[in-house]
Amino acid sequence: MILETSVAIVGSGMGGSTTAYGLAKAGIDCIVIERGDYVKKEDANWSAREIFINQKYKPNEKWLDQNGKEFTPGLHYIVGGNTKVYGASLPRFRESDFAQIQHKEGISPAWPFTYNDLEPYYCAAEQLYKVHGTTGEDPTEPKRSKPFPYPPLAHEPYIANLLERLKKAGVKPHSNSMGVDLASDGACIRCGTCDGFICKLDAKSDAQTCALNPAIKTGHVKLERNLKVTKVVTNGRRVEYLLAERDGVEVKIYAKKYVLSLGAVNTAALLLRSGQVANSSGLVGKNFMMHNNAHIAAFDARKTNDVTFQKTLSFSDWYFDGGNGYPLGSVQLIGKVQGIMMKSYVTKAPLPVLNYIANRSVEFVVMNEDLPSLNNRVEITKSGGIQIFRKALNTSAHKEMMRKTKRVLRKAGFQGIFVQPFDISMNSHQCGTSVAGVDPKKSVVDQYCKSHDLDNLYLIDGGFFPSSAAMNPALTIAAQALRVVDKSDLKEVN
Ligand SMILES: Cc1cc2nc3c(=O)[nH]c(=O)nc-3n(C[C@H](O)[C@H](O)[C@H](O)COP(=O)(O)OP(=O)(O)OC[C@H]3O[C@@H](n4cnc5c(N)ncnc54)[C@H](O)[C@@H]3O)c2cc1C
């Protein structure tokens, strides 16, 4: 079977769907090729047991860690990719994240473009993904040329009280930048099954709902589901076609331009498996990053947490300087954790005990910047599988941040603090594996995500990040996708 189009986009997650949206608006025909299917609307979408214990929407796929131990990656092979389950926390990176920064354990390198270059596209991405937020609360917020398109999500009483407790403890809490459809006629009902779950109401700003569906409606975009791309075939400085497979049938995809948005690890894996495609730099798969993160449950026996939609507040006081002259990161509320969700980590604890804790706890993610290293990398095993070599870097900054966060939470009156450090399977913020840069010897793609080696290949997903910053990645991927469509020659297909 043969498919032909102007632009072939592989992957329907944040990078792929947003690129398709931008191209569709510019009147360019594309095919989005997605290995997964639409997620069914079913009870399991909102079932903590199905999602966190039975891992219903995770792929039946194992990767190896650096010791050869199998793990299930933090991925979702479905239309919309990881954004179908993501927490829709959509902050911008800070201006300084685009410049070289000295961290305690090394250097966070500069990007080949600046915050100002991306700023108009952050505005466009915030509009597209219905981002709610406000200015004037966060001392680290970057400059913006337009206000947030939607007002901040109101804090429920427990969180409003938490805000006062945190202020008294010495930090400056601020509203989260959140992508949900909560306008006056919006579909969001502020339920407790948003972060980590699939939205049955299409009210979470995922890539399918906000970008792919409207792109398809223009008539310029076709979606090919259950079609897995297996090889990129090149001829000289051009991609000639893609090989894909559906139900044992081989499909060849011909296009004038090709965009790979399989997610940072899978894009690198496809290029490596295809015979080191786009890899004259030797950097495809290298510099794998995923943040240094931990979940914290702060427990107060005296106060029931009756919140439904918890993820409305963060504090970023130590983002630029944790007190020792080095940046630390951000502390953000996450969706309200249920006892059964805690069981996926503390497997032996009885459920009633976990429910007791969850009813009296409030949960955060503590997020620190990871640093790029050639040793942290994606490799293809002899049997064709994926192996991730990673030794976490900048961990002293993470430890310092955890100490400071715990101190603040204790001061705010929490008596117990439970910690779940992220392991390699929690790699949903993966990035860095096809780094963008100016010098073809030191980078895989240019500032517009175009391959240095191939004239019709673009890599638009978390892979292009030269550094991970200490903020959630999805809005930056979306903004860059819109910038690539606007500024690069991707649209030139005649
Ligand atoms: C539980 C969870 C919570 C998260 N919360 C947040 C958050 O609050 N804020 C935030 O910014 N980020 C969050 N993230 C991370 C965010 O979802 C990712 O950063 C983002 O989706 C990455 O976009 P991407 O385009 O790189 O990849 P993805 O969105 O993962 O898309 C990749 C797509 O490629 C498809 N694909 C892969 N291989 C092939 C192939 N061979 N052929 C065809 N198709 C293929 C996949 O099926 C998938 O649809 C979260 C992630 C998870 C898992």
Side-chain angles (χ1 to χ4, degrees), residues 188-261:
C188 178
I189 55 167
R190 281 192 70 129
C191 66
T193 45
C194 187
D195 192 1
F197 295 83
I198 287 163
C199 184
K200 265 198 245 183
L201 308 175
D202 295 334
K204 176 158 74 178
S205 297
D206 62 57
Q208 181 201 351
T209 307
C210 291
L212 184 62
N213 289 348
I216 292 171
K217 269 199 191 138
T218 64
H220 287 292
V221 175
K222 285 204 181 107
L223 173 66
E224 289 287 340
R225 291 172 284 139
N226 302 310
L227 185 57
K228 179 180 172 187
V229 172
T230 52
K231 193 168 182 188
V232 180
V233 180
T234 60
N235 186 358
R237 280 194 60 92
R238 296 189 71 76
V239 174
E240 200 175 358
Y241 60 90
L242 303 175
L243 269 184
E245 188 264 329
R246 176 161 48 205
D247 298 333
V249 176
E250 188 179 271
V251 179
K252 278 187 179 174
I253 300 143
Y254 288 90
K256 292 183 179 133
K257 304 263 168 95
Y258 298 83
V259 176
L260 301 185
S261 305

Side-chain angles (χ1 to χ4, degrees), residues 10-16 33-36 74-83 85-91 195-196 227-230 261-264 266 270 311 428-430 460-463 472-475 477:
V10 187
S12 66
M14 201 56 160
I33 302 130
E34 168 55 53
R35 66 180 286 174
L75 288 183
H76 297 80
Y77 295 148
I78 49 187
V79 174
N82 263 359
T83 69
V85 297
Y86 80 163
S89 179
L90 295 174
D195 192 1
L227 185 57
K228 179 180 172 187
V229 172
T230 52
S261 305
L262 293 74
N266 272 312
L270 177 65
K311 200 174 178 175
S428 62
H429 288 184
Q430 55 187 255
I460 310 178
D461 54 28
N472 322 56
L475 188 76
I477 298 173

